[in-house]
Amino acid sequence: MEGELPPRRHEVIPGHQIAGEVVNGTPTLPVGSRVGVSWIGGTDGRCWYCRNNMENLCDAPTFTGYVVDGGYAEYVSAREDFVFPLPSSLDDLHAAPLLCAGIIGFRSLRVAGVERRERVGLFGFGASAHLALPVLQAWGCEVYVSTRGGKHRHLASEMGATWVGGETDKPPIALDRAITFAPSGDVVVAALGSLRKGGVVAINAIHLDRVPEFDYDSLLWGERQLRSVANMTRSDAADFLNLAAEIGLKPQVTGFPLDQANEALAAVKRDSINGAAVLVI
Ligand SMILES: [Zn+2]
């Protein structure tokens, strides 16, 4: 919508986190099964990445709501092998935000190499970060949140973050890992500046405004690592949905009727709602 990614088709139905019920089934997914569809609509299964357990980096992927039609609709068609059964403990409204924001947030924690009881920074606190926080808490981690907007800081405090500060504020203690969610290179540099030696910053953003020049000696030297997070694998999705059911993960959501899709998008852009906006049919 914002033109950050070049259009791949002249017209496309957006929406890449879809929860619903199967109406045209298969033997493994009979009619009535509750399922989710994520950003990864399919991979070619043949390229070097697919054959080496890195299907998130597939050379010829299909993206839901970008390359193929997505979920701003009453019905959608999806590849059976890229459809995920949903835990019964989650209704559609609360399951939808898990399907990209949740899974990719979870993958970011994996890419950052988070281990139990570590100190982890979340830079930005929108739809994805607010789902990563309870996962970190379930792992016994201390969570440090730097984010713009009083509303987001308030939500992070309410959810039990160890420390909450402004967008580029430095947490009071050196972090083992940091994940950046804002599409801002300045935030990436702030995250690097918060790490201990050997720490990792994982960038959970499909687009960054720019990467500013930064001081190698103080920010990257000392075996600090800077990594991007691209897409997801089906095992990330399955592992995350199982974990979500196990820890009772429930995203903050605001529902909008389908015919108010533009209002929902505007609310996200204005940052006027906490958590995720979900279109409901
Ligand atoms: Zn591939």
Side-chain angles (χ1 to χ4, degrees), residues 10 22 75 86 105-106 128 133 177 179 194 198 273:
H10 178 56
V22 174
Y75 297 93
L86 291 177
F106 176 68
S128 190
L133 186 139
R177 325 277 160 189
I179 294 98
S194 72
I273 52 167

Side-chain angles (χ1 to χ4, degrees), residues 43-47 50 58-60:
T43 57
D44 63 7
R46 289 191 301 272
C47 74
C50 284
C58 177
D59 282 332

Side-chain angles (χ1 to χ4, degrees), residues 42-281:
T43 57
D44 63 7
R46 289 191 301 272
C47 74
W48 185 86
Y49 299 98
C50 284
R51 286 185 282 108
N52 286 277
N53 282 325
M54 287 177 266
E55 68 180 5
N56 61 305
L57 302 178
C58 177
D59 282 332
T62 301
F63 296 120
T64 309
Y66 183 44
V67 178
V68 294
D69 285 330
Y72 286 29
E74 289 89 348
Y75 297 93
V76 64
S77 73
R79 260 176 68 170
E80 181 195 21
D81 51 347
F82 282 83
V83 165
F84 308 106
L86 291 177
S88 56
S89 54
L90 279 167
D91 58 33
D92 293 348
L93 185 65
H94 292 93
L98 303 185
L99 288 158
C100 181
I103 299 167
I104 294 190
F106 176 68
R107 181 176 178 83
S108 304
L109 304 183
R110 285 186 157 169
V111 167
V114 173
E115 297 192 20
R116 284 177 187 273
R117 288 180 291 285
E118 285 192 324
R119 292 166 175 155
V120 181
L122 302 177
F123 286 75
F125 201 69
S128 190
H130 101 284
L131 292 169
L133 186 139
V135 172
L136 290 166
Q137 288 169 323
W139 291 343
C141 294
E142 289 175 13
V143 187
Y144 297 80
V145 176
S146 300
T147 188
R148 66 179 178 164
K151 203 189 302 228
H152 292 193
R153 286 195 285 276
H154 180 71
L155 178 64
S157 305
E158 245 182 9
M159 290 179 72
T162 310
W163 172 91
V164 181
E167 189 178 21
T168 54
D169 283 355
K170 198 170 171 168
I173 204 155
L175 303 174
D176 299 302
R177 325 277 160 189
I179 294 98
T180 68
F181 296 89
S184 153
D186 289 331
V187 169
V188 171
V189 172
L192 269 178
S194 72
L195 288 184
R196 65 158 165 81
K197 285 179 278 189
V200 181
V201 169
I203 304 171
N204 175 332
I206 197 166
H207 166 83
L208 275 192
D209 53 355
R210 74 203 164 97
V211 176
E213 187 174 312
F214 62 85
D215 181 55
Y216 171 78
D217 299 15
S218 60
L219 290 177
L220 203 54
W221 165 252
E223 300 200 341
R224 294 174 178 89
Q225 294 180 55
L226 189 54
R227 298 191 57 179
S228 64
V229 182
N231 309 319
M232 64 181 78
T233 65
R234 278 171 283 181
S235 61
D236 293 326
D239 293 348
F240 173 69
L241 290 171
N242 285 336
L243 178 67
E246 193 185 305
I247 67 175
L249 185 61
K250 203 154 194 197
Q252 283 243 342
V253 294
T254 304
F256 291 82
L258 179 60
D259 63 7
Q260 285 177 24
N262 287 323
E263 285 79 358
L265 286 168
V268 170
K269 182 168 184 174
R270 285 193 312 265
D271 245 351
S272 62
I273 52 167
N274 260 326
V278 179
L279 298 179
V280 183
I281 291 154

